[in-house]
Amino acid sequence: PHGGYTPSLTPDPLKQNENIRCLTTLSHFGFECLPTQLVNRSIHKGFSFNILCVGETGLGKTTLINTLFNTNLKENKSSHFYSKVGLKVKTYELQERNIPLKLTVVKTVGYGDQINKEASYQPVIDYLDAQFEAYLQEELKIKRSLIDYHDSRIHVCLYFIAPTGHSLKSLDLLTMKSIDRKVNIIPLIAKADALSKSDLQTFKSNIMSELITNGIQLYQFSTDDDEATAQVNTGLLPFAVVGSMEEVKVGKRMVRGRHYPWGVLQVENENHCDFVKLRDLLLCTNMEDLKEQTHNQHYECYRSNRLQKLGFTDVGPDNQPVSFQEMYEAKRKEFHDQCQREEEELKQTFMQRVKEKEATFKDAEKELQDKFEHLKRIQQEEILKLEEERRKLEEEIIDFYKTKAASETSQTQACTNVKKEKERKK
């Protein structure tokens, strides 16, 4: 067909008895091409997916990610001797059948290795909030560039549980309870081959019972069938997974698995572990839903709380809708008035402190002046005493010289008399 003509698929009641030849189209045309346009544009733009792996060191976080995406994300092994919990962020460019994917993997480092585990989950909370805050700040800009913005918000948290076979640790419960409102949590039993099938089922039941008792919200997988969805969320969680990139021979074919003295564990065998179920539900069925849940639920909750803390509301005191401009002007006026009040208070405080300093300086000056006058009087008294002593000394000197002169005169006269006496005797 040409010229935009679309053959009718609904038979005309007047021509039901006629032989009508149905035409088939060779290609799509009209607005039915819209899904194809969206697919082509999305493929050209590329996709992104952000995963947070939380778990103790040595539970196989890197190995599981490698197995999920069938790649080798080269990373150094983590140590058990970190003084505090940290996060390692790596971004990889992957491609599968010409579909590009920017994968960001965030993994905990040193989680659960410290003696004091009180604040082990705080770096995880801070990172999640920091990504929400970065997106919110970009969203609030006047000139936004959300199309080119690299969205670093975490879409899913794979929480790795140690295969103890008993119950969850208190750190696991505290961490999941602290982040379940911020990220989609999928619990995993790591290295599930360490448990027997009966112990594994008991362990799963214990974990789910503890999670429900503590009111921890897990991600609800969505499927086409509601009954299947309920079965997935109640029967499979937490997923018992085993990761391995090693190729082992089973019969005449090579499979990914682990070779033990008692046999071979096949990673992609659903009778051995839940890896295939996790991969299908995580990557094949719910990847886009995880991103939508992150934006529509977790980010919106953070954004709402953040704006409410800043004082923004949707309704005014009379429960009438308030525009953002009105709210902004009101907050601006309130902030301006607050600044003026604080400025006036600072001025008053400054003037008060100046007066106090002036009074202190005046008291100190008066004290110094009194001390100076006192020292001056003491000096004058000392000068008078010195003058009196000087006068006395001068009088004593004069008397001394007078006595000396009289003594010399007497001595001279005595000598003269002695001479005269001698001459007379001669």
Side-chain angles (χ1 to χ4, degrees), residues 394-410:
E394 288 178 351
E395 291 179 354
E396 290 178 358
I397 290 171
I398 292 172
D399 293 340
F400 172 75
Y401 280 116
K402 287 181 178 180
T403 305
K404 182 179 179 182
S407 175
E408 289 178 352
T409 305
S410 301

Side-chain angles (χ1 to χ4, degrees), residues 56-72:
E56 298 176 7
T57 307
L59 288 182
K61 297 186 288 295
T62 302
T63 304
L64 182 65
I65 295 297
N66 289 341
T67 312
L68 276 173
F69 293 93
N70 195 23
T71 185
N72 186 12

Side-chain angles (χ1 to χ4, degrees), residues 29 41 88 125 128 186 212 220 226 231 240 284 294 362 376 384 386 406:
F29 62 94
R41 176 174 292 183
K88 186 185 295 183
I125 298 175
L128 294 172
I186 299 178
I212 294 172
Q220 300 295 310
D226 292 338
Q231 183 180 2
C284 301
T294 299
K362 286 182 178 179
K376 188 176 180 181
L384 292 176
L386 290 174

Side-chain angles (χ1 to χ4, degrees), residues 355-371:
K355 290 179 180 179
E356 292 176 356
K357 286 292 182 182
E358 287 182 350
T360 303
F361 288 149
K362 286 182 178 179
D363 294 341
E365 183 180 7
K366 185 176 182 303
E367 183 179 354
L368 289 174
Q369 186 66 29
D370 295 341
K371 188 175 182 180

Side-chain angles (χ1 to χ4, degrees), residues 163-177:
T164 59
H166 300 289
S167 61
L168 288 171
K169 299 179 181 179
S170 59
L171 177 60
D172 298 331
L173 292 172
L174 284 173
T175 302
M176 284 191 275
K177 185 65 176 176

Side-chain angles (χ1 to χ4, degrees), residues 73-89:
L73 309 179
K74 296 181 180 180
E75 290 189 14
N76 298 326
K77 291 185 178 180
S78 298
S79 170
H80 286 275
F81 301 100
Y82 287 95
S83 59
K84 59 182 180 179
V85 178
L87 294 174
K88 186 185 295 183
V89 184

Side-chain angles (χ1 to χ4, degrees), residues 123-321:
V124 179
I125 298 175
D126 294 341
Y127 183 83
L128 294 172
D129 288 341
Q131 310 321 303
F132 284 148
E133 183 64 25
Y135 191 88
L136 177 61
Q137 293 301 322
E138 182 66 28
E139 198 177 45
L140 294 176
K141 286 182 179 178
I142 297 176
K143 293 183 178 180
R144 300 184 297 177
S145 58
L146 292 175
I147 297 177
D148 301 326
Y149 177 76
H150 174 58
D151 189 0
S152 59
R153 294 174 296 177
I154 297 298
H155 300 131
V156 63
C157 170
L158 301 180
Y159 195 92
F160 289 72
I161 301 170
T164 59
H166 300 289
S167 61
L168 288 171
K169 299 179 181 179
S170 59
L171 177 60
D172 298 331
L173 292 172
L174 284 173
T175 302
M176 284 191 275
K177 185 65 176 176
S178 301
I179 66 175
D180 64 345
R181 306 290 179 178
K182 301 175 183 292
V183 68
N184 302 309
I185 300 177
I186 299 178
L188 309 177
I189 300 176
K191 296 185 176 182
D193 52 342
L195 299 172
S196 65
K197 285 190 175 181
S198 59
D199 291 341
L200 189 59
Q201 290 302 321
T202 304
F203 191 34
K204 280 189 175 185
S205 300
N206 292 340
I207 290 175
M208 290 305 298
S209 175
E210 287 187 83
L211 294 176
I212 294 172
T213 302
N214 288 273
I216 296 174
Q217 301 292 326
L218 302 179
Y219 173 69
Q220 300 295 310
F221 288 93
S222 62
T223 59
D224 296 334
D225 187 3
D226 292 338
E227 293 183 0
T229 300
Q231 183 180 2
V232 167
N233 293 319
T234 57
L236 288 179
L237 290 178
F239 291 99
V241 295
V242 178
S244 175
M245 293 298 293
E246 181 183 355
E247 296 282 343
V248 295
K249 189 173 183 180
V250 177
K252 295 183 179 180
R253 58 193 181 93
M254 300 296 292
V255 297
R256 288 189 297 177
R258 293 183 177 274
H259 194 280
Y260 295 105
W262 53 85
V264 175
L265 183 140
Q266 301 176 36
V267 171
E268 296 178 325
N269 189 333
E270 295 189 26
N271 294 323
H272 292 181
C273 67
D274 299 332
F275 173 78
V276 174
K277 297 182 179 68
L278 171 65
R279 182 184 61 190
D280 292 344
L281 290 170
L282 179 64
L283 303 183
C284 301
T285 309
N286 292 274
M287 180 180 281
E288 188 60 29
D289 184 67
L290 286 165
K291 299 174 73 171
E292 289 180 359
Q293 288 287 333
T294 299
H295 181 78
N296 297 332
Q297 183 177 342
H298 300 298
Y299 170 69
E300 285 299 322
C301 180
Y302 175 85
R303 177 180 175 274
S304 175
N305 293 334
R306 187 79 171 84
L307 293 179
Q308 285 180 1
K309 287 182 179 179
L310 293 175
F312 293 95
T313 57
D314 294 330
V315 295
D318 53 355
N319 290 328
Q320 295 297 321

Side-chain angles (χ1 to χ4, degrees), residues 68 111 124 385 417:
L68 276 173
Y111 181 81
V124 179
K385 289 181 179 179
N417 292 333

